[in-house]
Amino acid sequence: MLLLDLDGTLGFSLIPEEEAISETLEFISRKLAKRFNRAVSIEELHALYRETKREQYSIYHLNPKRHNKDLRWEMLLNKLESKVGVRLPEDFRDEVRMRYWSSFESKAKPYPDAQETLEKLMGGFVVVIVTNNDLAEAQRKLRIFGLKEGKHYDILITSENFNVCKPSPDFLKKLLPFLEQKLNCKVTLDNVVIIGDDPKNDIAWARSVGAKAIRIKRDLLADLEPGSEAEKADHVIENLSDLLIILR
């Protein structure tokens, strides 16, 4: 059985996410000046975004809401509202969210080897996509990447399935029984391979439970080096198609 991460593993999405955030903050800065006569610099908005993200991660530690982008923009706009002393109406908030997703979707794209590789892997393995995204965001990205259930993967699992994010041990405790129920067969870790781009959330998580770990070095985390022995994968690849050689 193969458990594959989504972002940075099956599609180019992490760098586009950062670019979309920057474009959206620039949009907010322009709109504040034009519509509300309030000047907030790009630097101030980036600082506010970082503060909001830290706060979201702290409040929703290993909870699916930790990664919810719409919630993050709502939290940021609430902070901004207090900062500038102007009520930001719902149509403005909607426009910000729409601008972010429009920018993201224009930049994110599938890796050229993802669809063909997954189709071939489906011939010999149960292919499971496991992501910390909520279901709505995961489905949006699968659409962008052109990945279809039954053709490119067997099961999609999001953090919302278990109300907890990887690398929490609780995620794994709920994952195996969930898969056994879905597949109607016993699932053991000795026949599970976890594939992802994040040394901590994917590789260390795999090794902590005794599963084989394969790291793909692409997207935003490509140059990130393992921070400990636990974050070192059994194999490191640069193309998803390399799995066809490693796993044969």
Side-chain angles (χ1 to χ4, degrees):
M1 178 180 297
L2 307 180
L3 305 185
L4 292 107
D5 178 48
L6 181 59
D7 288 309
T9 300
L10 300 180
F12 181 65
S13 55
L14 297 175
I15 291 175
E17 179 181 303
E18 295 296 309
E19 293 174 346
I21 289 166
S22 292
E23 288 189 4
T24 305
L25 294 175
E26 290 172 7
F27 169 78
I28 291 172
S29 181
R30 293 194 304 271
K31 281 290 185 177
L32 284 173
K34 183 176 180 179
R35 183 170 173 180
F36 303 104
N37 196 29
R38 292 292 191 275
V40 181
S41 70
I42 299 298
E43 292 73 21
E44 288 177 290
L45 285 171
H46 273 282
L48 193 64
Y49 184 90
R50 291 192 294 270
E51 178 186 325
T52 302
K53 185 176 181 179
R54 288 194 299 269
E55 184 177 300
Q56 185 182 19
Y57 273 39
S58 175
I59 294 172
Y60 301 107
H61 179 63
L62 293 180
N63 180 285
K65 290 183 179 179
R66 164 190 177 104
H67 299 283
N68 187 294
K69 305 302 187 307
D70 287 336
L71 174 59
R72 189 175 303 165
W73 286 115
E74 188 68 16
M75 292 172 65
L76 180 141
L77 292 171
N78 288 342
K79 286 179 175 291
L80 186 59
E81 197 172 60
S82 298
K83 180 181 178 66
V84 300
V86 173
R87 181 181 173 275
L88 301 175
E90 196 57 39
D91 68 314
F92 178 79
R93 294 167 179 265
D94 288 342
E95 198 172 3
V96 168
R97 288 189 288 266
M98 289 174 60
R99 176 55 64 102
Y100 168 75
W101 287 116
S102 175
S103 178
F104 173 78
E105 291 196 17
S106 71
K107 301 172 188 302
K109 58 186 178 182
Y111 286 122
D113 59 347
Q115 294 180 17
E116 183 179 357
T117 299
L118 289 175
E119 283 189 56
K120 291 180 178 179
L121 290 173
M122 286 276 286
F125 300 91
V126 174
V127 176
V128 182
I129 297 176
V130 182
T131 176
N132 279 337
N133 294 156
D134 59 42
L135 179 60
E137 184 168 344
Q139 290 176 331
R140 185 189 298 264
K141 289 173 179 175
L142 289 173
R143 174 177 55 79
I144 294 170
F145 300 158
L147 302 179
K148 299 177 181 179
E149 184 177 355
K151 183 176 182 180
H152 302 109
Y153 65 93
D154 294 289
I155 301 171
L156 168 66
I157 296 176
T158 76
S159 57
E160 286 187 328
N161 283 107
F162 310 136
N163 199 36
V164 69
C165 296
K166 57 179 182 174
S168 169
D170 287 339
F171 191 100
L172 183 72
K173 290 178 184 178
K174 297 177 180 181
L175 173 64
L176 295 184
F178 179 85
L179 289 173
E180 289 179 346
Q181 183 178 15
K182 280 279 189 180
L183 299 169
N184 195 30
C185 67
K186 183 69 175 176
V187 178
T188 58
L189 288 168
D190 57 359
N191 65 3
V192 169
V193 180
I194 295 177
I195 301 138
D197 65 314
D198 191 322
K200 181 178 180 180
N201 284 346
D202 300 319
I203 306 309
W205 177 60
R207 298 197 59 178
S208 71
V209 299
K212 188 175 182 179
I214 299 176
R215 181 186 175 193
I216 184 162
K217 298 187 73 173
R218 298 202 282 202
D219 210 338
L220 189 64
L221 304 181
D223 296 328
L224 183 64
E225 294 299 324
S228 66
E229 190 66 28
E231 295 181 0
K232 294 181 179 179
D234 295 289
H235 298 278
V236 178
I237 59 178
E238 294 185 358
N239 299 291
L240 202 67
S241 56
D242 294 339
L243 292 174
L244 300 173
I245 300 173
I246 294 172
L247 298 174
R248 66 184 179 186

